[in-house]
Amino acid sequence: MLPTAFRIAILAPALLLAGCFGEDDRPLQVAAIGPSPSTFASGARLPVAAQLLRAATVEGLVGFDAQGRVVPALADRWIVTDDGLSYIFRLRDGKWGDGSPITGESARAALVRSIAGQRGTPLGQDLAVIAEVRTMAGRVIELRLSWPQPDLLQLLAQPELGLVHGGRGSGPMKLRREKDNALLRPIPPEDRGLPQIEGWADRTRRLELAALPAKTAIERFNAGQLDVVLGGTLADFPRLDALGVARAAIVADPVAGLFGLAVVHDDGFLAKAENREAIAMAIDREALATAINLSGWVVTSRVLNPGLPGDNGTVVERWAGRSIEERRALAASRVAAWKAGGRNPALRVALPGGPGADLVFARIESDLKAIGLNVTRVGLEADADLRLVDSVASYLGPAWFLNRLSCASQPAGCSPAADKFAAQAVAEPDPVKRAELFSQAEAQLTMANGYIPLGVPVRWSLVRGGLNGFAPNRLAVHPLMSLAMLPK
């Protein structure tokens, strides 16, 4: 998570944004950073724009509000049993997008399809805790779990868990497509089976969503053509200064997650864990933070972000007491031993475009050259030896990290022992024992060196002054429905 200093430096101006944003004839203009055609993308893994659109048009049992809190959606209330093994949801008295009534059986079928669609993905591993989805009554469904999962509601609120019936979602916004842009309007509550709200038309506004490259989005924001830009990452962070964005418009989310290099091919030089560790040892993370010039950015050599809930502190930053020179000397000896067999490895590093990614590559290239390794840069989706991972945690628990670095998700350089400890941890009811098992899983992943941590992810948005319905949060979720609502 981003430390207090960074939050104060960038988030404090955002406190000025809570007022009313004057409505006029034009829709609120929102851009999500990404390739232009990606707004209407489909599949198990969605880009930012497609996630925003799906969350706005395909409700799940629950959703998120502007602060990243779980709120009712298709389910208007729920209870959790004392043992944490059963979640019972009562559905609202409403209709699906095709006009048919929302029933327990139709919701159960839609949820089962959504869960099945995530098989083979890290989110699918998170959802493996759900042992059964059953209908209890006309509008009541129950989720039975194999073990307690206190973050289940956050999982069910993910856009990918939106429920489709008859090929359509049920809102909360109505979509009209114009080429690559999405025009969205909030659906009146009485049309969704909810109590009527007086003056609904005066309480809401239309919204237009487009996916744009970062440079284009920032330039249009500066020109007053956009009201909100979402989905900014470290790769494009230096553009904000370069393009003269007003500091008060920049809002950062204090997120946790993965930002580092994942091993793609564990052969050649990367076949041995100690060689992979040589790369991890050689990278000067503090120098990287200086190069990025992002005050307060948290760099780390740990697989899990420091300070997560449940972190018992037994796993600490690596190579304590060793200078970068000492680390590089050891790393260089391993590279020299490898080269002694007549081999001269050149590693391909896959990174996104953007000036921030340029700085990351320049640092990696310099650091690995210092130990005798040559690297070349390739596109993020190209075949590579190492690939940048930049993902925000959808819940703040060790299991999120371990599922994304498991042998099922990240087979090259993975640790079956870590998977075993993680499986034991999620099923362990005692919190002290559970924390110890998670620590052992992290230690095993650390020794495997299949993932080379650099720091925590960075997520930023641009927000026009006076805009209502936006708030920074730890999950970096910014629902379009919240942006479309005007204050009373």
Side-chain angles (χ1 to χ4, degrees), residues 125-405:
Q125 287 186 260
D126 294 330
L127 296 169
V129 65
I130 301 174
E132 183 183 5
V133 182
R134 59 189 293 265
T135 304
M136 293 185 68
R139 295 203 316 275
V140 180
I141 64 172
E142 179 189 20
L143 274 62
R144 291 184 174 178
L145 310 186
S146 298
W147 56 82
Q149 169 50 289
D151 299 301
L152 182 69
L153 293 175
Q154 282 89 340
L155 291 173
L156 295 175
Q158 298 302 310
E160 292 83 353
L161 270 293
L163 303 188
V164 175
H165 179 78
R168 299 173 60 184
S170 57
M173 304 185 80
K174 185 176 181 179
L175 167 68
R176 187 173 89 241
R177 180 171 182 172
E178 287 198 359
K179 297 182 180 179
D180 289 333
N181 291 3
L183 295 177
L184 296 155
R185 180 186 293 275
I187 299 172
E190 62 269 23
D191 293 343
R192 300 168 54 218
L194 298 170
Q196 183 175 359
I197 296 178
E198 186 176 351
W200 176 257
D202 297 327
R203 295 274 312 274
T204 62
R205 55 186 164 201
R206 296 176 299 135
L207 182 150
E208 184 170 5
L209 172 68
L212 296 173
K215 184 174 183 292
T216 303
I218 296 170
E219 289 174 341
R220 291 189 184 179
F221 181 86
N222 280 345
Q225 298 169 4
L226 292 173
D227 302 302
V228 185
V229 176
L230 302 173
T233 68
L234 189 146
D236 291 298
F237 187 81
R239 294 190 194 275
L240 300 176
D241 275 343
L243 295 173
V245 177
R247 179 170 176 163
I250 305 169
V251 185
D253 289 298
V255 298
L258 295 171
F259 186 84
L261 300 174
V263 173
V264 180
H265 295 297
D266 52 356
D267 54 9
F269 180 75
L270 298 177
K272 294 184 177 181
E274 56 265 33
N275 288 348
R276 301 193 291 265
E277 185 192 24
I279 295 173
M281 283 193 294
I283 296 175
D284 188 338
R285 291 160 180 79
E286 287 69 26
L288 175 59
T290 300
I292 297 294
N293 193 28
L294 179 54
S295 177
W297 179 43
V298 176
V299 296
T300 183
S301 60
R302 288 188 56 182
V303 171
L304 273 58
N305 293 172
L308 284 175
D311 183 359
N312 63 9
T314 59
V315 179
V316 297
E317 294 294 331
R318 303 178 73 179
W319 314 296
R322 288 188 181 182
S323 67
I324 187 65
E325 292 77 18
E326 290 172 323
R327 286 159 42 188
R328 285 182 179 166
L330 177 57
S333 69
R334 295 178 184 177
V335 174
W338 173 260
K339 286 184 174 181
R343 296 163 291 201
N344 187 19
L347 302 177
R348 298 161 298 169
V349 181
L351 296 169
D358 295 343
L359 293 170
V360 170
F361 179 74
R363 187 72 254 166
I364 292 170
E365 183 181 37
S366 175
D367 290 347
L368 297 192
K369 185 177 181 180
I371 63 170
L373 282 176
N374 296 318
V375 297
T376 59
R377 180 176 178 175
V378 298
L380 188 60
E381 302 302 323
D383 191 25
D385 301 296
L386 298 167
R387 176 169 288 115
L388 183 71
V389 176
D390 185 359
S391 295
V392 172
S394 52
Y395 60 94
L396 300 179
W400 183 90
F401 293 79
L402 298 172
N403 283 346
R404 277 137 193 87
L405 299 175

